[in-house]
Amino acid sequence: MSKLFSKQNKEALGNPLNLDHPILVQVLGICSALAVTSQLKPAIVMGLAVTIITAFANVIISILRNTIPNRIRIIVQLVVVAALVTIVSQILKAFAYDVSVQLSVYVGLIITNCILMGRLEAFAMMNKPWPSFLDGIGNGLGYAMVLIVVAAVRELLGRGTLLGLTIIPQSFYGCGYMNNGMMTMPAMALILLGCVIWIHRAYFYKEK
């Protein structure tokens, strides 16, 4: 058990949540972070999908790493990711069709997510399956965390709801409160993401 959660394995899981955060520090994967954060529910689903796909893609590539010819390694990685994305997409259509429609093409675009491909190339190709799994979980959760924060602010201020449930009392609207329609626009996602990056780097992030 101690080997499963050695210092190196803990770093593989924990560093992507702060020191090596894929969005806040490395500024990767921000395109989908901006595209699916107008509401909280699709943001949560997208974050979970990326986490699951990154974790299992890392494991599969780690297992195959010594048998993959170097000249076709990127092709193999893409095939593995595409297969996992297809499986996740079909599961969403079967059990969460409305969310699948909201996410539209963005689930399919996970195939080209630079966070995912970067972890396969930089970590899974050089490490054993268990550390690779932890690295995938850490990076996926780090990505999901930012999506959830941005989506929660946008939905609450833009629609007055969270997960479709009314949060702001009707009495507020009677007193003149109005939802901020700008929060539903893509430009506000970029501004909010910039604010989250600034707060993280100012108060939580310390360079190695």
Side-chain angles (χ1 to χ4, degrees):
M1 183 63 71
S2 60
K3 290 184 178 180
L4 289 178
F5 294 99
S6 63
K7 181 180 178 180
Q8 291 78 9
N9 289 345
K10 289 179 180 178
E11 288 178 351
L13 178 63
N15 282 356
L17 300 176
N18 187 18
L19 295 177
D20 293 323
H21 196 285
I23 294 180
L24 303 182
V25 177
Q26 301 178 53
V27 196
L28 300 174
I30 63 172
C31 295
S32 56
L34 300 179
V36 300
T37 54
S38 62
Q39 295 184 59
L40 186 55
K41 189 173 182 179
I44 292 174
V45 173
M46 185 68 168
L48 289 175
V50 170
T51 301
I52 292 169
I53 292 170
T54 304
F56 285 98
N58 268 13
V59 171
I60 294 170
I61 293 300
S62 178
I63 293 172
L64 299 175
R65 70 188 188 281
N66 293 325
T67 61
I68 301 174
N70 188 57
R71 65 184 181 277
I72 62 167
R73 69 186 191 284
I74 301 298
I75 296 175
V76 174
Q77 292 169 12
L78 284 171
V79 169
V80 169
V81 173
L84 291 172
V85 167
T86 301
I87 292 171
V88 169
S89 178
Q90 294 304 310
I91 291 174
L92 285 177
K93 288 179 181 179
F95 297 101
Y97 182 75
D98 291 342
V99 177
S100 176
V101 171
Q102 285 181 289
L103 290 174
S104 184
V105 300
Y106 296 107
V107 173
L109 290 176
I110 293 175
I111 296 172
T112 59
N113 191 307
C114 47
I115 296 173
L116 199 156
M117 296 304 297
R119 298 324 298 166
L120 294 179
E121 184 70 11
F123 198 93
M125 287 294 292
M126 296 183 290
N127 290 275
K128 294 181 179 179
W130 177 244
S132 298
F133 178 77
L134 294 178
D135 179 79
I137 292 291
N139 278 276
L141 290 178
Y143 171 85
M145 177 177 67
V146 173
L147 260 65
I148 290 170
V149 169
V150 174
V153 173
R154 291 183 69 192
E155 183 176 352
L156 180 62
L157 298 181
R159 304 172 187 269
T161 63
L162 284 176
L163 295 174
L165 302 175
T166 301
I167 300 298
I168 297 178
Q170 193 63 37
S171 59
F172 280 40
Y173 296 100
C175 294
Y177 177 84
M178 297 179 62
N179 292 328
N180 187 345
M182 288 186 64
M183 282 292 173
T184 62
M185 300 173 63
M188 288 307 301
L190 182 61
I191 293 172
L192 286 173
L193 182 58
C195 291
V196 173
I197 293 175
W198 170 69
I199 293 170
H200 177 261
R201 296 195 178 189
Y203 297 101
F204 301 103
Y205 174 69
K206 293 183 180 179
E207 293 186 1
K208 297 179 182 178

